[in-house]
């Protein structure tokens, strides 16, 4: 049963549930829960675009909204903000003065721009094919944007005196963009894979074995969700611009149509309100 | 010029040289030295099977032998011991109770067995095709050996209750053995690549993206060489059995012959004495 | 209610309970639980020398015994082993080749000897007034013991070439022994306080401010209890000798008497069986 | 001899020199150099308010100024900025969302404000007796200032919901301010001592032993100086306001007079130009 939530609480329902007591949960690796938690909602059971929902392990899977937090913004806390922060920024260890390359300016890539900024990197270079998304990246704090059709490696080398980036985030989910991430790094660099992949990628160990590279993958644990909620509520983390459209429940068909045509509609995240 | 070494000092000449003042050396990443150091001897200039040698950046590239340390054993400190320890054991963060899989039981793989044991893992599982090398692995502290021709994944799963290993070391340098390493891991597992690769490998991101995997590559920095020298000199790290043959300088032809036929000769490391 | 334990399970009841969902529990800092957990049993409610007990938050506060583990030994997992390991060894970051000084050879100090050994330090120096306890320390893996009445600093300096120890553990709970720990360290050294203190200590900042010292305090979180249970069950961590006496429930008066006269009786840990 | 610097280079002369090859230098702990480096200039030999100076170990003790960096600002890189960043911010591990208390708003305390901000803490609370210095702290990024004569603990508790701060920096050098730092922390909090102390302080182990506190001390290593130089040159780290007065060499007497009367003159850092 639920112990910590009360009737009437306004909560974020997280994409990750957690039993709280298995060996992974005991290390705060909730995404890898062995006892019926992990990525359940929207994956092994239906998601929550619904008027009522039963949330597994409710205490560890929901978060009470801080006073004053816009419920639309809060939706970003259900998945993409902790994903970008934990699987990207924290796994890669972004540090002040780093040059960070983010490949892919969809919602998760943009959330990575916003959360990487918390660590004051020297440069955030965002790569995408879509000019509008690159523009959105600038609004969230990227200082350099590169069209994916150009010579990205040359662009990164120019910024870094030929040495390469400290950190690269894969936020697309394709083999080519993953390879690009490993190419733009300096020795000692870190690639954090955030994208969801359906195919294998080529890992160029013939050049990478000697370069002190670290590659991380991951499913979000949402262990940072409480802290991110506070950072958003206090205004230190501004991510509202990732939400491009807001609809009522009675406009669901239109919402899905807009979301399915991002190139035309300019949709990033589309939020529906009951 | 050399400041810290005196005529008559007996020293290990390391595979890694270091200027000591570039941005990488300032972080003790000597293997990535930007100013003429890094992997120089035996790579960009000739190595040191010679009676006299000029060592670049002598102060940071040589180590005075502790009293009582066998000069033959000391040769292992020139490369394979710090490589196995830094690029393998420290990069992967071996911890007490971990299950560690080491693929490849050549000299570096065996050095990984010996240095992984310093952290009291629950199991060290070594995989190779050569029965004699697997036997040598047992002598250095592996508790389980698996013939590479068998179902290695099944063997690892049996030991780990189906969950997989915490850590895997690639110590061969082939695409297949690298892939094997990524396969035997549990969620949250770490692959440390120690092998020298000439070809790309396939990275199965379609299954790994969700598994919280960390992959590291690296060239040794030799920052731990002083500490390893002490551990060997005190007898806490016993690695003599990696040296299978010892020759005089006048037996060089025979030494190379033995080393070139490891399957027949059983050679692991062959040491020549002047 | 309890979800993961079944009638008939043999469990260790931990000294630490945990709600599992407060901000500290979400970081696996169970000892600091904000919602009714933390150190409860034997502190804010009665302990468990009883035939029946209600354990708060049973799932996160009990551990199923591995097959074959002696129930007497398991009692050490309820408190002193995870305390010594987490608050001592892990907080101080014991590493291979370190010189570790442990001040106090009571049960927790001895558990620190056993768990520090998992990381292959060069030396474990144990300091106490009681010769029998120093002897017990040797049995658990200390290589050097010093009578507390002698010049301990001189003894440590001799072993470390005048530089001092890497790590010191305070396992007594007195101001003087804490000060001693800060005195025996080399620059960059770490003091982990494990003892329970009733009075303030003097911190010699006039000499320590420049020495890169780290001091840690802590209540055990028991996040490592499952791993320690496995290490004990597999025989890699041998701690039986910390138990000097075993009694039945009907011998409770005698058990307490023996435990109250450690100098005479030689008692370290006294275990009672029902 | 000097290898990397050329006649005509404009350099910062660091307060820390380093041999580069002793066991501490090999771990980038330059402040603890065992071979004639460490804190030498202005300590064991005269400092550098001079027209010519011989710098020990010139390559590792000087830093070429980035193009465009104001030489006055560069002086802050000789000592206080790396001290505040390394001994304060990095030792304490400031993280996004933390509440940071900085006791002392002299030049080092103000440098701590500026460098702590790089990690986006939720709150930076600065405590001092001098209203002008508190005002300067606000200009550098503190959001809350407290007069040291008020109830500082109550002020911190109010901001943190009664739980206490994550991090406290001691930047005064007195026993009372050190004690204050240990008082304002939440469980799990970290105190970084930056101040230079001449007397011991009282460590309240009777309350702190159970609170998971970490205390660090340290001398700066200047390993981050290159990165800080870049952050200052790029404008991401704005610290000019710490320099309150600039004088020529011929005004040295006046400069020292101003610096000796900070309460009257409002002097923080006073820079002299040749």
């Amino acid at each position: 049963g639920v112990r910590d939530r009360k009737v009437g609480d306004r909560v974020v329902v997280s994409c990750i549930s957690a039993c709280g007591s298995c060996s992974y949960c005991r290390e705060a690796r909730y995404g890898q829960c062995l006892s019926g938690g992990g990525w359940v909602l929207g994956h092994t059971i239906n998601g929550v675009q619904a008027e009522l929902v039963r949330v597994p392990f409710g205490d560890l899977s929901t978060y009470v909204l801080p006073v004053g937090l816009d419920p639309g913004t809060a939706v970003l806390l259900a998945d993409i903000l902790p994903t970008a922060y934990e699987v990207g920024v924290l796994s890669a260890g972004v540090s002040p003065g780093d040059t960070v390359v983010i490949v892919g300016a969809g919602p998760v890539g943009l959330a990575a721009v916003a959360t990487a900024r918390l660590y004051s990197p020297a440069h955030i270079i965002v790569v995408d094919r879509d000019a509008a998304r690159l523009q959105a990246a600038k609004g969230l704090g990227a200082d350099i944007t590169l069209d994916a059709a150009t010579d990205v490696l040359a662009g990164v080398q120019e910024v870094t005196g030929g040495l390469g980036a400290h950190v690269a985030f894969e936020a697309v989910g394709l083999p080519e963009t993953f390879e690009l991430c490993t190419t733009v790094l300096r020795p000692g660099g870190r690639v954090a894979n955030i994208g969801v992949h359906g195919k294998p990628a080529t890992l160029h160990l013939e050049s990478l074995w000697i370069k002190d590279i670290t590659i991380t993958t991951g499913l979000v644990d949402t262990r940072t969700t409480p802290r991110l909620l506070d950072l958003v509520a206090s205004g230190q983390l501004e991510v509202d611009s990732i939400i491009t459209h807001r609809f009522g429940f009675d406009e669901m068909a239109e919402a899905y149509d807009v979301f399915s045509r991002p190139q035309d509609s300019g949709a990033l995240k589309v939020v529906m309100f009951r």
Side-chain angles (χ1 to χ4, degrees), chain A:
Chain A
V2 175
R3 195 176 53 220
D4 300 339
R5 301 288 170 262
K6 302 183 305 294
V7 173
D9 280 350
R10 302 194 75 169
V11 299
V12 179
V13 177
S14 175
C15 61
I16 298 295
S17 300
C19 82
S21 58
C22 73
S23 63
Y24 281 90
C25 284
R26 284 187 72 88
E27 298 176 349
R29 284 195 176 268
Y30 303 118
Q32 307 293 341
C33 173
L34 295 172
S35 302
W39 182 21
V40 174
L41 285 164
H43 188 215
T44 56
I45 63 174
N46 281 331
V48 292
Q49 287 171 3
E51 288 165 309
L52 292 171
V53 62
R54 180 186 165 280
V55 177
F57 307 108
D59 287 318
L60 269 170
S61 313
T62 62
Y63 303 85
V64 175
L65 264 63
V67 174
L69 182 62
D70 173 70
T73 309
V75 169
L76 302 176
L77 271 297
D79 184 341
I80 67 165
L81 265 180
T83 294
Y85 187 53
E86 295 178 10
V87 182
V89 174
L90 292 180
S91 289
V94 174
S95 293
D98 278 355
T99 294
V100 177
V101 175
I102 300 177
V103 180
V108 173
L110 294 172
V113 173
T115 53
R117 274 192 76 197
L118 296 170
Y119 289 87
S120 306
H123 299 290
I124 298 179
I125 305 174
V126 177
V127 182
D128 201 293
R129 290 179 175 169
D130 186 307
R133 292 187 162 200
L134 291 177
Q135 197 55 40
K138 287 232 167 171
L140 283 156
D143 59 318
I144 300 172
T145 56
L146 297 174
D147 186 318
T150 64
D151 186 340
V152 171
L153 176 56
V156 173
Q157 297 293 59
E158 190 187 328
V159 174
T160 59
L163 203 50
H166 299 82
V167 169
F169 294 156
E170 205 287 336
V172 177
L174 293 174
E176 311 88 71
T177 45
F178 179 81
E179 283 182 52
L180 175 62
C181 285
T182 63
T183 306
V184 298
L185 290 188
R186 70 178 58 200
R190 291 96 63 193
V191 177
N193 182 78
I194 317 179
V196 177
H197 290 260
K199 285 190 292 188
T202 301
L203 186 66
H204 287 286
L205 283 176
E206 76 280 15
S207 57
L208 296 174
W209 74 268
I210 203 170
K211 281 188 72 179
D212 290 15
I213 300 299
T214 300
I215 298 168
T216 55
T217 71
L219 182 64
V220 64
D221 292 313
T222 63
R223 67 185 189 282
T224 65
T225 303
R227 194 162 276 219
L228 291 169
L229 274 167
D230 287 343
L231 286 165
V232 172
S234 71
Q236 289 181 286
L237 186 55
E238 289 186 46
V239 289
D240 272 354
S241 61
I242 299 177
I243 302 172
T244 50
H245 297 77
R246 296 168 182 246
F247 293 100
F249 248 35
D250 54 346
E251 303 167 297
M252 191 176 282
E254 188 183 347
Y256 269 89
D257 177 61
V258 161
F259 190 60
S260 68
R261 299 179 293 104
Q263 259 107 352
D264 298 344
S265 66
L268 290 165
K269 273 288 173 191
V270 171
V271 175
M272 284 181 287
F273 291 82
R274 198 184 152 211

